[in-house]
Amino acid sequence: MLKINELKASVEEASILKGLNLTINPGEVHAIMGPNGSGKSTLASVLAGREEYEIEGGTVDFDGVDLLDMDATERARAGLFLAFQYPVEIPGVSNINFMRAAVNGKREHEGLEPIKGKAFLDMVKEKAKLVELDGRLRNRSVNEGFSGGEKKRNEIFQMAMLEPKLAILDETDSGLDIDALRIVSEGVNAMRSPERSFLVITHYQRLLDYIVPDVVHVLVDGRIVRSGGKELALELEEKGYDWIKEDIVA
Amino acid sequence: MDSAKPQLMDRPKAEARHAASEASGAALVSALDAILGVQADVALDAVPVPHRRVERWKYTPVASWWKDVLASDVNTVAAAGCEANPVPGLDAYRLVFVNGAFDAVASDLPVHTGVTCMPLSQRGNAKLQDTDSFSPETSDWFAGLNGRYSQEGLYLRVAQGVELDRPILIHHHTSGEGAFNVLRHDIALALNASVKMVQWSTAHAGAEGSVNVLTRADVGEGARLHIDKVQDEEGTVRHIAFEDIRQHRASHAEVHTITVRGAWVRNDLTFRINGEGAHAELNGAFLPGEGEFVDNHTTVDHCVAHCTSSENYKGILYGKSTGVFNGKVFVRPDAQKTNAYQQNANILASKKASINAKPELEIYADDVKCSHGCTVGQFDSDALFYARSRGVGLEAAKAMLVRAFIGDVLKGLAVLEVRLEVEHRLAEKHGWEVWSDHPNDEA
Ligand SMILES: Nc1ncnc2c1ncn2[C@@H]1O[C@H](COP(=O)(O)OP(=O)(O)OP(=O)(O)O)[C@@H](O)[C@H]1O
Ligand SMILES: [Mg+2]
């Protein structure tokens, strides 16, 4: 599904990703943990095609195509989804119209007609139920004035609407209360399938109790320095990151 | 609709060239005097001929106005008709002016108790409103031109308490080459009267010439006036519009200026608030494309206490276009408890576009609330990336942000059909997909 090879990226002259390798097979859930500022969100942004980041080396293969060759729109249409750590507010654009544009963009890519009003609304209803998104939020401006938790639910709602092949969830758990964490996780789990992969960025092992990963990676200073099973997350929770950093130095 | 009217171009070429080389107001005035005839004795030598050193015209390329007005070689103006109704589905009274001349066949005047509405030329002995030392004619040369030569326009009087049942649509249409259209709309609303007006300007794709419109409105005590003003002119038309709004006690006046299209547009609005408890509202959206120029000058003059004004102008500039916003707010010493709000936000959608934006607040009373904000920026790159990461194309994402940006201005339009048609025409001009509705609509 995704094969990252020696990826190097910088922003404003500062190199952030320093030779990152990661392979995710179809149907797998991978988790990335790592200290603040280690480059997790940068990796997510680079994969999603944010142009502020300079690619300085490496390759990324996404389901058989060169991901780095596509712009952000094309990547999304090809089936990549990023749930933002900080979802963006777009005043004046209703959530529902935003999603209609997104869905129709994807349909255009697939050679389909724009979705019909009724079918679209049915789809919205069904997907909103998945994450129990408050109906009123659909008609409000995108993320504007949403609470932290509402924004995160909205991200997962959008993911459900777009049915990506690979979803990157960047700290989707932060800002969610205990119930919301469970609801959102169940929403994600409901979408797990042999064809769909997930890359879950988190600081807390608790999320991984709900969304059980196949592999856990530790990202430190722009590189994946350790990978393991889900017990690695427990170990990190207990010991922090220092022992890994010491390991690297040693 | 084939009403022709003497045009400036009727004069011999040589004379035009001469006037051009002189490039002097006096030369043009004497040429125009001969062609158009002096309608009112407005002296033009007291005010400076506009050029870049005159503050009011500092950022406006007046030279191109001179060049166009003086250089045309065409002798006749083909008075092609215009669309019957520029606003589909709008049920309105209509006054159509083609190349400055009233088109009776295309018009549909109101027959309504307490409403006197006719083309200016048919008003007989009825007097127009006086100009005074604050009128645009006294301070501006182009307004002076209007005062001197205007002979046609709308004459409207609405009696006490009368609320007109339908909007009045004034349609200005310009066609052919060398048009020189001078129009004057003279409006007075008596106590508690209420009118919605639409001023819609169009021009034929091949049109060349100039349009000069002055709207003077006296909004009586408790009266309400709404003007939706839309400029959607193809061709190369130099369009100058003045609004001189005078407000009395507890009156409410709104002017919404939307410039969809226009090679060269100057809007000059003045609100004089002379009665307590009055409210003035002036909003605008301008979206000049490649090579277009749009200039919005506004003045809100708070002369008395306890009044409010609200101003919101949004500009989005594409290609190599230029914009100007100049918003003056005066709060005179007697105007205590004034609440004046002004906002001007601009997006430069291209590296080659430019805007000169300047708020000018002069406040001489101490117990007032005045706020203003002025911004010039680019598209929000976070929002663009967010939309693209959902599979929305770059251009579609920009269009989405533009529509959101000007949405509040368009929502302020008094007539729904006008807003829908504006949205339609903007979408057509900029190649946007159909306009999606706005999130906070009540409907
Ligand atoms: N646009 C940018 N401009 C400048 N520096 C940036 C930019 N984006 C990221 N950085 C820097 O890159 C480094 C990695 O940031 P990143 O957001 O990827 O970290 P992270 O691992 O996601 O951290 P966190 O756990 O706090 O979310 C940080 O030092 C950050 O300041
Ligand atoms: Mg991060």
Side-chain angles (χ1 to χ4, degrees), chain B residues 308-383:
Chain B
T308 52
S309 64
S310 168
E311 176 167 11
N312 180 19
Y313 271 75
K314 299 272 179 83
I316 300 161
L317 297 101
Y318 295 90
K320 197 164 180 259
S321 64
T322 319
V324 176
F325 174 80
N326 182 292
K328 285 197 179 70
V329 177
F330 294 112
V331 180
R332 307 276 175 192
D334 289 339
Q336 298 294 356
K337 305 283 181 193
T338 290
N339 190 335
Y341 171 81
Q342 183 191 82
Q343 162 76 22
N344 168 231
N346 304 287
I347 292 178
L348 298 177
S350 132
K351 285 200 178 76
K352 284 179 270 166
S354 67
I355 173 108
N356 193 288
K358 188 174 176 194
E360 288 186 60
L361 277 68
E362 291 189 28
I363 299 167
Y364 302 103
D366 47 18
D367 187 12
V368 300
K369 251 207 228 146
C370 295
S371 59
H372 73 101
C374 181
T375 59
V376 179
Q378 271 99 35
F379 283 114
D380 175 353
S381 63
D382 289 334

Side-chain angles (χ1 to χ4, degrees), chain B residues 43-66:
Chain B
L44 281 159
D45 43 14
V47 280
V49 174
H51 57 70
R52 295 255 176 180
R53 267 159 293 162
V54 176
E55 186 60 32
R56 290 176 47 75
W57 295 94
K58 193 169 173 182
Y59 300 104
T60 313
V62 276
S64 60
W65 186 91
W66 286 101

Side-chain angles (χ1 to χ4, degrees), chain A residues 49-52 71-73 76-77 81-82 84 90-94 97-98 101-102 139 141 143 155 158, chain B residues 380-394 400-401 403-405 433 436-440:
Chain A
R50 179 131 205 176
E51 279 144 8
E52 281 87 338
D71 70 21
T73 303
R77 292 180 178 182
F81 182 87
L82 169 61
F84 282 53
I90 313 183
V93 176
S94 74
N97 284 330
F98 184 70
N139 294 318
S141 291
N143 292 324
E155 294 293 284
Q158 295 182 11
Chain B
D380 175 353
S381 63
D382 289 334
L384 282 183
F385 176 61
Y386 190 64
R388 296 177 74 202
S389 77
R390 269 58 181 143
V392 179
L394 179 60
M400 197 183 261
L401 296 187
R403 297 191 300 238
F405 182 66
E433 303 213 349
S436 47
D437 53 3
H438 303 291
N440 303 318

Side-chain angles (χ1 to χ4, degrees), chain B residues 200-420:
Chain B
W200 197 288
S201 299
T202 57
H204 202 258
E208 278 177 28
S210 74
V211 174
N212 183 321
V213 186
L214 192 152
T215 303
R216 175 164 293 126
D218 189 87
V219 189
E221 193 174 323
R224 300 176 70 84
L225 173 68
H226 289 85
I227 300 180
D228 288 351
K229 188 176 141 193
V230 178
Q231 296 160 326
D232 183 21
E233 294 172 314
E234 296 187 72
T236 312
V237 174
R238 316 279 170 201
H239 188 119
I240 305 181
F242 296 93
E243 272 81 21
D244 179 14
I245 313 282
R246 303 161 176 187
Q247 287 190 252
H248 301 275
R249 220 179 67 80
S251 65
H252 181 108
E254 298 185 13
V255 178
H256 305 269
T257 305
I258 315 292
T259 309
V260 173
R261 203 187 296 262
W264 191 105
V265 178
R266 162 72 172 240
N267 293 301
D268 219 303
L269 277 68
T270 308
F271 281 71
R272 271 188 272 162
I273 308 178
N274 293 321
E276 295 195 358
H279 177 70
E281 192 150 329
L282 46 162
N283 300 323
F286 50 105
L287 297 88
E290 184 63 38
E292 295 183 333
F293 169 79
V294 181
D295 179 346
N296 284 299
H297 266 64
T298 64
T299 303
V300 178
D301 194 351
H302 283 275
C303 305
V304 297
H306 298 286
C307 292
T308 52
S309 64
S310 168
E311 176 167 11
N312 180 19
Y313 271 75
K314 299 272 179 83
I316 300 161
L317 297 101
Y318 295 90
K320 197 164 180 259
S321 64
T322 319
V324 176
F325 174 80
N326 182 292
K328 285 197 179 70
V329 177
F330 294 112
V331 180
R332 307 276 175 192
D334 289 339
Q336 298 294 356
K337 305 283 181 193
T338 290
N339 190 335
Y341 171 81
Q342 183 191 82
Q343 162 76 22
N344 168 231
N346 304 287
I347 292 178
L348 298 177
S350 132
K351 285 200 178 76
K352 284 179 270 166
S354 67
I355 173 108
N356 193 288
K358 188 174 176 194
E360 288 186 60
L361 277 68
E362 291 189 28
I363 299 167
Y364 302 103
D366 47 18
D367 187 12
V368 300
K369 251 207 228 146
C370 295
S371 59
H372 73 101
C374 181
T375 59
V376 179
Q378 271 99 35
F379 283 114
D380 175 353
S381 63
D382 289 334
L384 282 183
F385 176 61
Y386 190 64
R388 296 177 74 202
S389 77
R390 269 58 181 143
V392 179
L394 179 60
E395 290 311 315
K398 283 181 180 172
M400 197 183 261
L401 296 187
V402 167
R403 297 191 300 238
F405 182 66
I406 59 171
D408 57 346
V409 173
L410 298 191
K411 247 182 283 169
L413 287 163
V415 179
L416 176 69
E417 291 85 353
V418 168
R419 174 179 137 197
L420 297 176

